[in-house]
Amino acid sequence: MGRAKTFLAYYNKIEKTLESLYTGPEEHMSFYELIQTLRRTNRQVAYFADELHEYRTLRNAIVHDTVGDMVIAEPCETVVVRIRKIHELLTKPALVMDLCKGQEVVSLTFTDSLQQVLSLIRDTGYSQFPVIDCKRVIGILTSHTAASYLADRMQGNELIIDKATVSDLFRVSDDKEDFMVIARTSTVYDVSVLIRKHPKVSMFIVTESGKPTQHLLGVLTAADFHRVYGMRN
């Protein structure tokens, strides 16, 4: 099958997917109308809307601009791969838990010592940790807070590490509330919307239904998300 035929096949599959997602009163809507309508309420469609409009233009060129049996507009291999990927992501959106598979969730409590925090930063390479108090997520502690706390306790060229705990660090933290608890059923598109709406959030903490009192299932930093999904995947 040539690239044009493959492209059209996936274009048609995407159109059927959009039609299945639409539940309004109109019996028939064009590809353009489906995108414009669904992008208002469907985060997956909204994420790919601009690309789909570009592919709609390419589809029209392939279908209508021909000389005999020859197709004038032949999509490149990159476009064919991309439209196949969009179809996959529209029909099977990735869940946030997919990004947390195999991950060990490391959390802190108020009674953990500063030494324990420093050891965790060294041993795990993590820079942010959920803080649990009375079985509830109450915030995050970052390596920035730990570094600032230590810097304030420099005496000349000597570093005085006292008996500080996470509770002490938490009191002086200016980024402890830069987190959000989300449900395990959240998709990567849900996270993308949350990041746009709440740019200060640096960590997403995953629980069963998004309640801070539930068991931690995974954590995802905004930086990690941008690295994986910052470019349209």
Side-chain angles (χ1 to χ4, degrees), residues 146-166:
S148 296
Y149 186 91
L150 290 170
D152 288 342
R153 278 147 187 80
M154 289 286 293
Q155 294 184 5
N157 293 324
E158 293 187 7
L159 175 61
I160 308 299
I161 298 181
D162 54 22
K163 296 181 180 180
T165 63
V166 168

Side-chain angles (χ1 to χ4, degrees), residues 4-233:
K5 288 184 178 180
T6 303
F7 173 87
L8 291 176
Y10 278 100
Y11 181 95
N12 291 335
K13 288 180 181 180
I14 289 175
E15 186 168 25
K16 289 186 180 300
T17 298
L18 296 179
E19 289 172 346
S20 69
L21 293 173
Y22 175 70
T23 58
E26 298 291 335
E27 292 186 5
H28 178 74
M29 297 182 74
S30 67
F31 193 82
Y32 173 85
E33 291 170 330
L34 284 167
I35 296 171
Q36 292 302 95
T37 301
L38 290 170
R39 74 186 304 173
R40 302 188 193 110
T41 56
N42 188 293
R43 289 171 177 172
Q44 287 96 298
V45 175
Y47 192 79
F48 295 112
D50 292 340
E51 283 183 281
L52 290 174
H53 279 313
E54 293 176 3
Y55 292 153
R56 176 179 58 85
T57 301
L58 177 56
R59 177 264 180 192
N60 290 339
I62 293 173
V63 171
H64 300 299
D65 297 342
T66 59
V67 177
D69 293 331
M70 183 178 69
V71 176
I72 293 178
E74 179 80 6
C76 64
E77 183 63 25
T78 302
V79 168
V80 174
V81 171
R82 181 60 185 162
I83 196 170
R84 182 187 294 121
K85 184 66 174 179
I86 290 176
H87 172 258
E88 175 189 330
L89 293 173
L90 281 175
T91 53
K92 298 178 182 178
L95 300 180
V96 67
M97 280 304 296
D98 294 333
L99 304 181
C100 300
K101 283 182 179 178
Q103 177 193 76
E104 178 186 6
V105 181
V106 181
S107 61
L108 298 169
T109 66
F110 270 172
T111 57
D112 289 331
S113 68
L114 173 58
Q115 286 89 341
Q116 287 175 292
V117 173
L118 296 176
S119 294
L120 282 174
I121 293 173
R122 179 197 62 201
D123 296 341
T124 66
Y126 297 164
S127 61
Q128 302 180 62
F129 302 90
V131 178
I132 310 295
D133 185 47
C134 297
K135 298 182 180 180
R136 181 186 182 90
V137 181
I138 60 168
I140 60 174
L141 185 70
T142 68
S143 58
H144 172 75
T145 295
S148 296
Y149 186 91
L150 290 170
D152 288 342
R153 278 147 187 80
M154 289 286 293
Q155 294 184 5
N157 293 324
E158 293 187 7
L159 175 61
I160 308 299
I161 298 181
D162 54 22
K163 296 181 180 180
T165 63
V166 168
S167 178
D168 298 314
L169 274 65
F170 207 68
R171 281 197 292 270
V172 300
S173 171
D174 58 3
D175 52 16
K176 60 189 176 187
E177 297 180 357
D178 296 346
F179 77 101
M180 189 170 288
V181 183
I182 59 177
R184 67 177 301 157
T185 53
S186 301
T187 70
V188 294
Y189 308 105
D190 295 325
V191 175
S192 177
V193 171
L194 290 173
I195 286 177
R196 289 200 301 272
K197 289 184 176 179
H198 308 280
K200 289 190 65 177
V201 170
S202 61
M203 174 178 278
F204 295 93
I205 300 169
V206 187
T207 64
E208 183 64 33
S209 58
K211 296 179 180 179
T213 52
Q214 295 175 325
H215 179 66
L216 273 62
L217 301 176
V219 295
L220 177 68
T221 68
D224 286 341
F225 181 84
H226 280 306
R227 188 178 69 251
V228 178
Y229 278 92
M231 297 179 65
R232 293 182 179 274
N233 289 277

